[in-house]
Short mmCIF file of all heavy atoms in Angstrom, two decimals:
data_model
loop_
_atom_site.label_atom_id
_atom_site.label_comp_id
_atom_site.label_asym_id
_atom_site.label_seq_id
_atom_site.Cartn_x
_atom_site.Cartn_y
_atom_site.Cartn_z
N GLY V 26 11.50 2.76 22.74
CA GLY V 26 10.52 2.38 23.75
C GLY V 26 9.21 1.94 23.14
O GLY V 26 8.91 2.22 21.99
N ARG V 27 8.46 1.23 23.94
CA ARG V 27 7.16 0.75 23.51
C ARG V 27 6.10 1.78 23.78
O ARG V 27 6.02 2.32 24.88
CB ARG V 27 6.80 -0.54 24.24
CG ARG V 27 7.71 -1.69 23.91
CD ARG V 27 7.32 -2.93 24.69
NE ARG V 27 8.19 -4.04 24.33
CZ ARG V 27 7.86 -5.30 24.48
NH1 ARG V 27 6.70 -5.62 25.01
NH2 ARG V 27 8.69 -6.25 24.13
N GLY V 28 5.28 2.05 22.77
CA GLY V 28 4.14 2.93 22.96
C GLY V 28 3.03 2.19 23.69
O GLY V 28 3.20 1.06 24.14
N ASN V 29 1.88 2.83 23.78
CA ASN V 29 0.72 2.16 24.34
C ASN V 29 -0.50 2.60 23.56
O ASN V 29 -0.45 3.52 22.77
CB ASN V 29 0.58 2.43 25.84
CG ASN V 29 0.60 3.90 26.15
OD1 ASN V 29 -0.12 4.67 25.55
ND2 ASN V 29 1.44 4.31 27.09
N GLY V 30 -1.59 1.92 23.76
CA GLY V 30 -2.81 2.24 23.03
C GLY V 30 -2.81 1.60 21.66
O GLY V 30 -2.16 0.58 21.42
N ILE V 31 -3.50 2.24 20.75
CA ILE V 31 -3.73 1.66 19.43
C ILE V 31 -2.48 1.74 18.54
O ILE V 31 -1.68 2.66 18.66
CB ILE V 31 -4.94 2.34 18.74
CG1 ILE V 31 -5.40 1.53 17.55
CG2 ILE V 31 -4.61 3.78 18.36
CD1 ILE V 31 -6.83 1.81 17.15
N ILE V 32 -2.32 0.75 17.69
CA ILE V 32 -1.30 0.77 16.64
C ILE V 32 -2.07 1.14 15.36
O ILE V 32 -2.84 0.33 14.85
CB ILE V 32 -0.59 -0.59 16.51
CG1 ILE V 32 0.12 -0.93 17.82
CG2 ILE V 32 0.37 -0.57 15.32
CD1 ILE V 32 0.68 -2.35 17.88
N TRP V 33 -1.88 2.35 14.88
CA TRP V 33 -2.68 2.85 13.76
C TRP V 33 -2.24 2.32 12.41
O TRP V 33 -3.07 2.04 11.56
CB TRP V 33 -2.65 4.37 13.71
CG TRP V 33 -3.64 5.06 14.59
CD1 TRP V 33 -3.38 6.06 15.47
CD2 TRP V 33 -5.05 4.85 14.66
NE1 TRP V 33 -4.53 6.47 16.10
CE2 TRP V 33 -5.58 5.74 15.61
CE3 TRP V 33 -5.93 3.98 14.01
CZ2 TRP V 33 -6.93 5.80 15.93
CZ3 TRP V 33 -7.29 4.03 14.33
CH2 TRP V 33 -7.77 4.94 15.27
N MET V 34 -0.93 2.21 12.18
CA MET V 34 -0.46 1.86 10.84
C MET V 34 0.39 0.60 10.87
O MET V 34 1.18 0.40 11.78
CB MET V 34 0.34 3.01 10.22
CG MET V 34 -0.49 4.25 9.96
SD MET V 34 0.46 5.58 9.17
CE MET V 34 0.48 4.98 7.46
N ASP V 35 0.22 -0.23 9.83
CA ASP V 35 1.00 -1.45 9.66
C ASP V 35 1.25 -1.63 8.16
O ASP V 35 0.44 -1.21 7.34
CB ASP V 35 0.24 -2.64 10.23
CG ASP V 35 1.05 -3.93 10.23
OD1 ASP V 35 2.29 -3.87 10.08
OD2 ASP V 35 0.44 -4.99 10.38
N GLU V 36 2.36 -2.29 7.85
CA GLU V 36 2.74 -2.53 6.45
C GLU V 36 2.78 -1.21 5.68
O GLU V 36 2.34 -1.12 4.55
CB GLU V 36 1.77 -3.51 5.78
CG GLU V 36 1.71 -4.87 6.41
CD GLU V 36 3.01 -5.67 6.27
OE1 GLU V 36 3.85 -5.36 5.40
OE2 GLU V 36 3.17 -6.60 7.04
N THR V 37 3.34 -0.18 6.30
CA THR V 37 3.47 1.12 5.65
C THR V 37 4.41 1.00 4.47
O THR V 37 5.47 0.38 4.56
CB THR V 37 4.01 2.15 6.66
OG1 THR V 37 3.17 2.12 7.83
CG2 THR V 37 4.01 3.55 6.09
N ASN V 38 4.01 1.58 3.35
CA ASN V 38 4.80 1.45 2.12
C ASN V 38 4.81 2.78 1.38
O ASN V 38 4.08 2.97 0.42
CB ASN V 38 4.23 0.33 1.25
CG ASN V 38 5.13 -0.01 0.10
OD1 ASN V 38 6.30 0.38 0.06
ND2 ASN V 38 4.61 -0.73 -0.86
N CYS V 39 5.65 3.70 1.83
CA CYS V 39 5.77 5.01 1.18
C CYS V 39 6.72 4.90 -0.01
O CYS V 39 7.66 4.10 -0.01
CB CYS V 39 6.35 6.03 2.16
SG CYS V 39 5.42 6.27 3.68
N THR V 40 6.50 5.75 -0.99
CA THR V 40 7.45 5.84 -2.11
C THR V 40 8.59 6.77 -1.74
O THR V 40 9.62 6.78 -2.41
CB THR V 40 6.76 6.38 -3.38
OG1 THR V 40 6.34 7.72 -3.13
CG2 THR V 40 5.58 5.52 -3.79
N GLY V 41 8.39 7.59 -0.71
CA GLY V 41 9.38 8.57 -0.29
C GLY V 41 9.06 9.96 -0.78
O GLY V 41 9.70 10.93 -0.37
N THR V 42 8.08 10.10 -1.66
CA THR V 42 7.73 11.41 -2.22
C THR V 42 6.46 12.00 -1.60
O THR V 42 6.13 13.14 -1.89
CB THR V 42 7.53 11.30 -3.75
OG1 THR V 42 6.46 10.39 -4.00
CG2 THR V 42 8.80 10.82 -4.43
N GLU V 43 5.75 11.25 -0.78
CA GLU V 43 4.51 11.72 -0.18
C GLU V 43 4.78 12.91 0.74
O GLU V 43 5.86 13.02 1.33
CB GLU V 43 3.82 10.62 0.62
CG GLU V 43 3.34 9.45 -0.22
CD GLU V 43 4.39 8.37 -0.40
OE1 GLU V 43 5.58 8.61 -0.08
OE2 GLU V 43 4.03 7.28 -0.86
N SER V 44 3.81 13.79 0.87
CA SER V 44 3.98 14.97 1.73
C SER V 44 3.68 14.67 3.19
O SER V 44 4.06 15.43 4.07
CB SER V 44 3.09 16.11 1.24
OG SER V 44 1.74 15.72 1.29
N MET V 45 2.97 13.55 3.46
CA MET V 45 2.63 13.20 4.84
C MET V 45 2.49 11.68 4.95
O MET V 45 2.16 10.99 3.97
CB MET V 45 1.36 13.90 5.30
CG MET V 45 0.14 13.61 4.46
SD MET V 45 -1.26 14.63 4.92
CE MET V 45 -0.67 16.24 4.45
N LEU V 46 2.74 11.16 6.12
CA LEU V 46 2.71 9.72 6.35
C LEU V 46 1.34 9.13 6.03
O LEU V 46 1.25 8.03 5.49
CB LEU V 46 3.11 9.41 7.80
CG LEU V 46 3.28 7.94 8.15
CD1 LEU V 46 4.42 7.31 7.33
CD2 LEU V 46 3.55 7.78 9.64
N SER V 47 0.28 9.85 6.34
CA SER V 47 -1.06 9.31 6.11
C SER V 47 -1.38 9.14 4.63
O SER V 47 -2.35 8.47 4.28
CB SER V 47 -2.12 10.19 6.79
OG SER V 47 -2.08 11.50 6.27
N ALA V 48 -0.56 9.71 3.74
CA ALA V 48 -0.76 9.55 2.30
C ALA V 48 -0.10 8.29 1.76
O ALA V 48 -0.31 7.92 0.61
CB ALA V 48 -0.23 10.77 1.55
N CYS V 49 0.68 7.61 2.58
CA CYS V 49 1.38 6.40 2.15
C CYS V 49 0.43 5.20 2.16
O CYS V 49 -0.52 5.16 2.95
CB CYS V 49 2.55 6.11 3.09
SG CYS V 49 3.82 7.40 3.08
N ARG V 50 0.74 4.24 1.32
CA ARG V 50 -0.04 3.00 1.33
C ARG V 50 0.26 2.25 2.62
O ARG V 50 1.38 2.23 3.10
CB ARG V 50 0.33 2.14 0.13
CG ARG V 50 -0.11 2.75 -1.19
CD ARG V 50 0.13 1.82 -2.33
NE ARG V 50 -0.78 0.69 -2.17
CZ ARG V 50 -0.78 -0.37 -2.95
NH1 ARG V 50 0.06 -0.46 -3.94
NH2 ARG V 50 -1.63 -1.35 -2.75
N ALA V 51 -0.77 1.63 3.17
CA ALA V 51 -0.64 0.85 4.40
C ALA V 51 -1.91 0.02 4.55
O ALA V 51 -2.87 0.18 3.80
CB ALA V 51 -0.46 1.77 5.61
N ARG V 52 -1.89 -0.87 5.54
CA ARG V 52 -3.12 -1.60 5.85
C ARG V 52 -4.15 -0.59 6.35
O ARG V 52 -3.81 0.51 6.75
CB ARG V 52 -2.84 -2.65 6.92
CG ARG V 52 -1.92 -3.76 6.39
CD ARG V 52 -1.68 -4.82 7.42
NE ARG V 52 -2.88 -5.66 7.53
CZ ARG V 52 -2.96 -6.70 8.34
NH1 ARG V 52 -1.95 -7.04 9.10
NH2 ARG V 52 -4.06 -7.42 8.39
N PRO V 53 -5.44 -0.96 6.37
CA PRO V 53 -6.46 -0.02 6.87
C PRO V 53 -6.13 0.44 8.29
O PRO V 53 -5.53 -0.30 9.08
CB PRO V 53 -7.74 -0.86 6.84
CG PRO V 53 -7.49 -1.88 5.77
CD PRO V 53 -6.02 -2.21 5.87
N TRP V 54 -6.54 1.67 8.62
CA TRP V 54 -6.28 2.25 9.94
C TRP V 54 -6.63 1.27 11.05
O TRP V 54 -7.74 0.74 11.10
CB TRP V 54 -7.11 3.52 10.15
CG TRP V 54 -6.65 4.71 9.35
CD1 TRP V 54 -7.25 5.23 8.24
CD2 TRP V 54 -5.51 5.52 9.61
NE1 TRP V 54 -6.55 6.31 7.80
CE2 TRP V 54 -5.47 6.52 8.62
CE3 TRP V 54 -4.50 5.50 10.58
CZ2 TRP V 54 -4.48 7.49 8.56
CZ3 TRP V 54 -3.52 6.47 10.52
CH2 TRP V 54 -3.51 7.45 9.54
N GLY V 55 -5.68 1.03 11.95
CA GLY V 55 -5.92 0.22 13.14
C GLY V 55 -5.89 -1.28 12.91
O GLY V 55 -5.99 -2.05 13.86
N ILE V 56 -5.76 -1.73 11.67
CA ILE V 56 -5.70 -3.17 11.37
C ILE V 56 -4.23 -3.57 11.31
O ILE V 56 -3.48 -3.08 10.47
CB ILE V 56 -6.40 -3.49 10.02
CG1 ILE V 56 -7.83 -2.97 10.01
CG2 ILE V 56 -6.31 -4.99 9.73
CD1 ILE V 56 -8.74 -3.58 11.05
N ASN V 57 -3.82 -4.45 12.21
CA ASN V 57 -2.41 -4.83 12.26
C ASN V 57 -2.26 -6.20 12.90
O ASN V 57 -3.18 -6.73 13.49
CB ASN V 57 -1.61 -3.79 13.05
CG ASN V 57 -2.01 -3.74 14.50
OD1 ASN V 57 -1.60 -4.59 15.29
ND2 ASN V 57 -2.84 -2.77 14.87
N ASN V 58 -1.06 -6.76 12.76
CA ASN V 58 -0.70 -8.01 13.43
C ASN V 58 0.56 -7.76 14.26
O ASN V 58 1.49 -8.54 14.23
CB ASN V 58 -0.49 -9.13 12.41
CG ASN V 58 0.57 -8.80 11.38
OD1 ASN V 58 1.16 -7.72 11.42
ND2 ASN V 58 0.83 -9.71 10.48
N CYS V 59 0.57 -6.66 14.97
CA CYS V 59 1.76 -6.18 15.68
C CYS V 59 1.52 -6.07 17.18
O CYS V 59 0.39 -6.13 17.64
CB CYS V 59 2.15 -4.80 15.15
SG CYS V 59 2.42 -4.77 13.37
N TYR V 60 2.61 -5.87 17.90
CA TYR V 60 2.56 -5.51 19.31
C TYR V 60 3.53 -4.34 19.48
O TYR V 60 4.32 -4.04 18.57
CB TYR V 60 2.88 -6.70 20.22
CG TYR V 60 4.30 -7.15 20.16
CD1 TYR V 60 5.18 -6.87 21.19
CD2 TYR V 60 4.80 -7.86 19.08
CE1 TYR V 60 6.50 -7.28 21.16
CE2 TYR V 60 6.13 -8.26 19.02
CZ TYR V 60 6.96 -7.98 20.06
OH TYR V 60 8.28 -8.37 20.02
N HIS V 61 3.50 -3.68 20.62
CA HIS V 61 4.29 -2.44 20.78
C HIS V 61 5.80 -2.68 20.79
O HIS V 61 6.54 -1.71 20.64
CB HIS V 61 3.81 -1.65 21.98
CG HIS V 61 2.52 -0.94 21.74
ND1 HIS V 61 2.38 0.07 20.80
CD2 HIS V 61 1.28 -1.12 22.27
CE1 HIS V 61 1.14 0.48 20.79
NE2 HIS V 61 0.45 -0.22 21.66
#
């Protein structure tokens, strides 16, 4: 399903070893070229 509101993460690129999603490389918070 489609969420609503802000899209926080885009181009997420985890190595798979991070302890939390926010530690993964990604575009800056809230900067995206996406839709829900």
